[in-house]
Amino acid sequence: MNNALLALAGAIVAVTGTLLAPILSQRVLARVQTEQFERQQRSADAQWLREQRVAEVEKRRACYVTANSGYRRYRIELMKYLWLVHKGEATAQARADLEETRHSMHTAFAEAQMVASDVVLRELDAMTATLAGAYSRTLHLADGTPHPGWAFEEIQAELLELGDRWRNMRGLMRADLGVDPGPAAP
């Protein structure tokens, strides 16, 4: 009888094992598939974040290129107009050219206000204020009502100094983009 009970117990265990094997293997497979899906999802999320960072840097780079170009062009046009005023040769066309570059610079500045880092934006704000002051003093000089202490030479010196300051600005932009900022301004 002991052998019969032992055989019956063995048969029950074997049948139970046979019946439970597909269920257990299905659960194990589901767990493995869930873990694999989660790994793929984390990988896809990480890839998306990398792509977003690259897109953000590219957007800032394009903004900085536009700002760099706009500010430099405006400064040069302002210096050219100042020189024409000094020589008494300022024309309506020269003034229109100055205004066009000024508006381009303001457009570049408006974009930078939405994209640039705080460090770069603070420097752009300071550059904009300095250029606005030089512009105002140049127009007063052209109208024959110069600000006290701001003759041609002082305005010209201020604009030339902005060239040195811009090298520092360029370094800040490059550092913000993760590029070696290069040598400091002399």
Side-chain angles (χ1 to χ4, degrees), residues 77 80-81 84 89-99:
E77 196 66 35
K80 186 169 95 177
Y81 187 75
L84 291 173
E89 299 174 1
T91 63
Q93 182 58 48
R95 176 74 184 265
D97 292 345
L98 175 63
E99 289 302 317

Side-chain angles (χ1 to χ4, degrees), residues 3-51:
N3 284 341
L5 284 176
L6 210 53
L8 181 60
I12 290 174
V13 168
V15 169
T16 304
T18 303
L19 293 174
L20 290 179
I23 295 170
L24 292 176
S25 67
Q26 188 68 17
R27 292 185 108 201
V28 169
L29 181 62
R31 186 177 309 136
V32 167
Q33 286 176 337
T34 299
E35 289 172 1
Q36 184 179 14
F37 175 76
E38 288 172 356
R39 268 194 310 274
Q40 289 173 343
Q41 190 64 36
R42 283 192 304 269
S43 177
D45 289 347
Q47 178 66 25
W48 184 82
L49 284 174
R50 279 190 296 276
E51 289 170 1

Side-chain angles (χ1 to χ4, degrees), residues 8-183:
L8 181 60
I12 290 174
V13 168
V15 169
T16 304
T18 303
L19 293 174
L20 290 179
I23 295 170
L24 292 176
S25 67
Q26 188 68 17
R27 292 185 108 201
V28 169
L29 181 62
R31 186 177 309 136
V32 167
Q33 286 176 337
T34 299
E35 289 172 1
Q36 184 179 14
F37 175 76
E38 288 172 356
R39 268 194 310 274
Q40 289 173 343
Q41 190 64 36
R42 283 192 304 269
S43 177
D45 289 347
Q47 178 66 25
W48 184 82
L49 284 174
R50 279 190 296 276
E51 289 170 1
Q52 291 302 309
R53 282 189 212 113
V54 166
E56 181 182 316
V57 167
E58 182 57 33
K59 188 176 181 180
R60 271 198 330 263
R61 187 195 69 76
C63 172
Y64 291 169
V65 167
T66 303
N68 190 20
S69 173
Y71 275 73
R72 289 181 74 205
R73 183 171 170 234
Y74 176 52
R75 182 180 144 271
I76 290 167
E77 196 66 35
L78 187 54
M79 289 175 70
K80 186 169 95 177
Y81 187 75
L82 176 64
W83 184 252
L84 291 173
V85 167
H86 178 66
K87 290 174 29 180
E89 299 174 1
T91 63
Q93 182 58 48
R95 176 74 184 265
D97 292 345
L98 175 63
E99 289 302 317
E100 178 187 333
T101 58
R102 181 171 170 259
H103 290 293
S104 294
M105 188 273 304
H106 283 292
T107 300
F109 182 56
E111 181 183 357
Q113 288 176 318
M114 299 299 122
V115 177
S117 69
D118 289 341
V119 171
V120 171
L121 192 55
R122 274 193 298 277
E123 194 63 29
L124 283 173
D125 282 338
M127 295 280 292
T128 301
T130 303
L131 282 168
Y135 171 79
S136 172
R137 289 186 284 280
T138 299
L139 292 187
H140 280 282
L141 189 64
D143 293 341
T145 58
H147 287 182
W150 285 98
F152 166 78
E153 292 79 13
E154 288 81 14
I155 299 169
Q156 182 184 35
E158 181 180 42
L159 290 172
L160 289 172
E161 183 182 302
L162 274 178
D164 293 335
R165 189 170 180 185
W166 191 254
R167 283 191 268 297
N168 181 52
M169 177 78 254
R170 182 183 59 206
L172 290 173
M173 287 176 172
R174 290 174 57 92
D176 185 47
L177 294 173
V179 178
D180 179 22

